[in-house]
Amino acid sequence: MLSRISSTVVRQCANTLKTTNVASSSNLLKKKNLFHQQCRTLATPAGPVSANDLWKRSCYFEMDFTINEESMVDEVVNRFSAYDIGCLVTVDSSENITGVISERDLIHKVALLGNNPKETQVKEIATTSANLVTASIHDEVDECMEKLLTANIRHLPLLDESGHVIGMLSIKDLCRAVVAEQEVAIQMLSDFAAGKGGHFTD
């Protein structure tokens, strides 16, 4: 009788241990999958940074970033030097965007060709709106960076919902934002690994 009872107890304990191990493995798998899912949706507590947010921190925010297309190129040179910038948005007499003019335009279309900047109009060398790459105020950092890299450019005119130009973003603005986001993400992952938790979005 004792032998049968002992055998029964052993089998019950074995079944209990097996069930516990399965449940434990299942819980570990769920936690692992949840962790990877959370890592894929990792975000800063403040949420994604938009192009409009970047614009408000840009050096272009507190200056007139436009120039009339009828102006002479020497005025562009003076503005570049005075404000330590490398691009301006060109506009017509009605303040509508017609393109952009950058340092590259000055080098390739004025300096290398021997043209006189005092006798050359902005519209003669500017990149016209037909070939213009722009950003929307709702674009996020990675979208803006992708546009710059794909087009091999360094500046993005920023348009509002009506298509009117309201600002300018440079690759320097985007690089600062990317570095800041990475630093926050690294810190949150470090905190998570140290058992301090993390900030995730669904």
Side-chain angles (χ1 to χ4, degrees):
M1 175 67 72
L2 181 61
S3 177
R4 288 199 298 273
I5 294 174
S6 298
S7 298
T8 301
V9 171
V10 168
R11 285 196 300 273
Q12 289 176 344
C13 288
N15 290 334
T16 300
L17 182 60
K18 181 178 180 181
T19 302
T20 301
N21 288 338
V22 171
S24 178
S25 298
S26 178
N27 288 335
L28 287 174
L29 182 60
K30 289 180 179 178
K31 290 180 179 180
K32 179 180 178 182
N33 291 337
L34 177 61
F35 175 77
H36 287 301
Q37 181 181 5
Q38 290 172 330
C39 285
R40 287 194 297 270
T41 57
L42 185 64
T44 60
V49 178
S50 70
N52 197 43
D53 295 327
L54 290 183
W55 153 239
K56 294 176 181 178
R57 307 171 194 169
S58 172
C59 65
Y60 285 94
F61 184 62
E62 296 182 351
M63 62 165 285
D64 181 8
F65 54 87
T66 64
I67 188 165
N68 191 285
E69 63 180 0
E70 302 290 339
S71 301
M72 295 299 170
V73 169
D74 67 324
E75 185 178 341
V76 175
V77 175
N78 292 333
R79 295 271 292 278
F80 282 180
S81 178
Y83 295 109
D84 192 23
I85 55 175
C87 189
L88 290 170
V89 172
T90 64
V91 295
D92 59 21
S93 56
S94 300
E95 295 297 314
N96 296 315
I97 182 173
T98 59
V100 294
I101 184 168
S102 68
E103 293 170 322
R104 289 182 182 179
D105 295 318
L106 297 181
I107 293 172
H108 295 296
K109 302 173 185 178
V110 178
L112 287 179
L113 298 179
N115 292 326
N116 187 340
K118 293 184 178 182
E119 299 175 356
T120 305
Q121 287 186 312
V122 168
K123 65 181 180 181
E124 295 179 47
I125 68 167
T127 299
T128 60
S129 56
N131 301 314
L132 202 58
V133 179
T134 62
S136 160
I137 57 175
H138 300 299
D139 285 348
E140 296 181 11
V141 173
D142 56 344
E143 294 175 295
C144 293
M145 186 63 80
E146 183 178 355
K147 289 180 179 181
L148 287 179
L149 295 176
T150 301
N152 192 28
I153 55 178
R154 293 182 294 170
H155 297 84
L156 282 175
L158 182 62
L159 307 183
D160 63 15
E161 294 175 341
S162 300
H164 298 126
V165 61
I166 61 170
M168 174 89 84
L169 294 176
S170 71
I171 193 169
K172 186 184 297 184
D173 299 322
L174 292 168
C175 285
R176 287 198 189 104
V178 169
V179 169
E181 284 187 349
Q182 289 178 342
E183 288 177 346
V184 172
I186 290 171
Q187 183 60 53
M188 289 193 297
L189 287 173
S190 298
D191 290 344
F192 190 92
K196 298 179 183 179
H199 303 279
F200 301 98
T201 61
D202 294 329

